[in-house]
Amino acid sequence: MKSMASSAPQRIAAIVGVGPKLGRSIARKFVHEGYTVAILARDLGRLSKFADEIAREEKAQVFAIRIDCSESRSVREAFEGVLSLGFVEVLVYNAYQQPPNWHPTNFTDIRLDSFEKSLTVSSVGAFHCAQQVLPGMVERGRGTILFTGCSGSLKGIAGRSELCCGKFALRALSQCLSMEFQPHGIHIAHVIIDGVIGPPRGGQSSSSASQRTTTLGTTPIGVDVIMDPDAVAQTYWQLHVQDRSAWTQEIDLRPSNPPKFC
């Protein structure tokens, strides 16, 4: 992690739950728009590579900070580092407990500790992270918090109890915080990703991308039915810069031809 010393006020965005797809694309977008970005995840080695890559591409500062969203102490320690950078104007919570595989799990086969950890990462972790940044936002009368949901935020899915229960709770948290803090000038929104996010297309058109295939687990799917994380990241940015006279509280995104299992 680079030095956190700074002589001038910076616009800080904290992106929690950064992997090689959506989290990295959101971080890159906010860096491109002039923000100093802290990216947070459990795997510091991989995270540092992402930070170096984005910093090199954008010629800007990116800070990699380890966090375990299932541990309140880890969240507090991570945000001590984030808050030392300055006022956190944007928080994106993109963390969730990765399922062991993409196949549905029989309810009777789900371990209690696995169920509890999924709930904790999806919702309790979001609670802890929001508590770290909201006091500063309220003090300044501005800020944005964006939570990443999924189709399981809206409806129960057979074999997905772990994911759906945590995402249901996250959606409720987003709604409660929006009602409480919107009058203080803080925009809080829930983004439902109703589809499968693939790797960035890197400027490749949808028509040419549709000639290729990728996989979800071991299932082959056409690239035209998956979501480009760079395109999704644009929506996160647009939510942040929305005029406060017309704020979105919830938005759902999906590809034009979603796969049937989404």
Side-chain angles (χ1 to χ4, degrees):
M1 182 169 58
K2 298 177 179 66
S3 169
M4 294 190 178
S6 176
S7 58
Q10 303 179 81
R11 296 190 300 169
I12 308 299
I15 318 299
V16 180
V18 173
K21 296 178 182 178
L22 181 57
R24 181 167 59 172
S25 290
I26 295 171
R28 183 184 289 112
K29 176 61 178 175
F30 276 85
V31 171
H32 184 74
E33 297 294 342
Y35 277 74
T36 296
V37 171
I39 58 175
L40 300 92
R42 283 183 297 181
D43 188 339
L44 185 57
R46 185 172 72 162
L47 200 63
S48 296
K49 291 179 182 177
F50 294 157
D52 290 342
E53 170 193 294
I54 297 170
R56 184 172 59 252
E57 291 173 354
E58 300 292 340
K59 297 179 174 57
Q61 286 186 309
V62 182
F63 299 91
I65 301 174
R66 186 186 182 280
I67 191 171
D68 182 344
C69 293
S70 68
E71 298 287 344
S72 58
R73 179 176 178 179
S74 177
V75 173
R76 289 194 302 270
E77 290 176 349
F79 272 87
E80 286 177 4
V82 175
L83 293 168
S84 74
L85 297 170
F87 165 53
V88 178
E89 185 178 321
V90 180
L91 168 66
V92 177
Y93 192 83
N94 188 53
Y96 75 106
Q97 180 68 14
Q98 184 80 25
N101 58 65
W102 285 104
H103 299 291
T105 303
N106 291 329
F107 179 73
T108 53
D109 294 334
I110 298 173
R111 293 172 54 91
L112 178 59
D113 58 348
S114 177
F115 184 80
E116 290 178 335
K117 186 160 188 177
S118 184
L119 283 174
T120 301
V121 174
S122 287
S123 56
V124 180
F127 167 89
H128 283 309
C129 290
Q131 280 200 333
Q132 304 304 308
V133 301
L134 274 168
M137 293 179 177
V138 170
E139 180 181 348
R140 292 164 179 80
R142 70 180 193 278
T144 301
I145 299 178
L146 304 175
F147 297 107
T148 300
C150 65
S151 54
S153 304
L154 300 175
K155 59 184 179 182
I157 302 172
R160 308 287 186 191
S161 299
E162 294 171 274
L163 176 66
C164 293
C165 290
K167 289 298 187 179
F168 263 62
L170 178 65
R171 185 182 187 222
L173 177 67
S174 173
Q175 292 178 356
C176 292
L177 295 182
S178 178
M179 294 301 99
E180 182 173 352
F181 292 100
Q182 183 170 304
H184 296 279
I186 301 161
H187 186 190
I188 298 173
H190 182 234
V191 183
I192 298 169
I193 308 298
D194 188 13
V196 178
I197 295 181
R201 286 203 296 261
Q204 189 177 26
S205 68
S206 296
S207 58
S208 61
S210 66
Q211 305 305 312
R212 299 184 291 113
T213 60
T214 187
T215 59
L216 177 63
T218 59
T219 305
I221 57 175
V223 175
D224 61 328
V225 303
I226 66 173
M227 305 173 75
D228 182 347
D230 290 345
V232 176
Q234 291 283 351
T235 296
Y236 282 72
W237 172 255
Q238 290 161 4
L239 287 168
H240 171 53
V241 298
Q242 271 187 330
D243 188 275
R244 65 174 58 196
S245 68
W247 274 346
T248 297
Q249 199 286 310
E250 184 168 81
I251 187 170
D252 61 323
L253 307 176
R254 64 179 60 85
S256 59
N257 184 26
K260 292 182 174 59
F261 47 79
C262 289

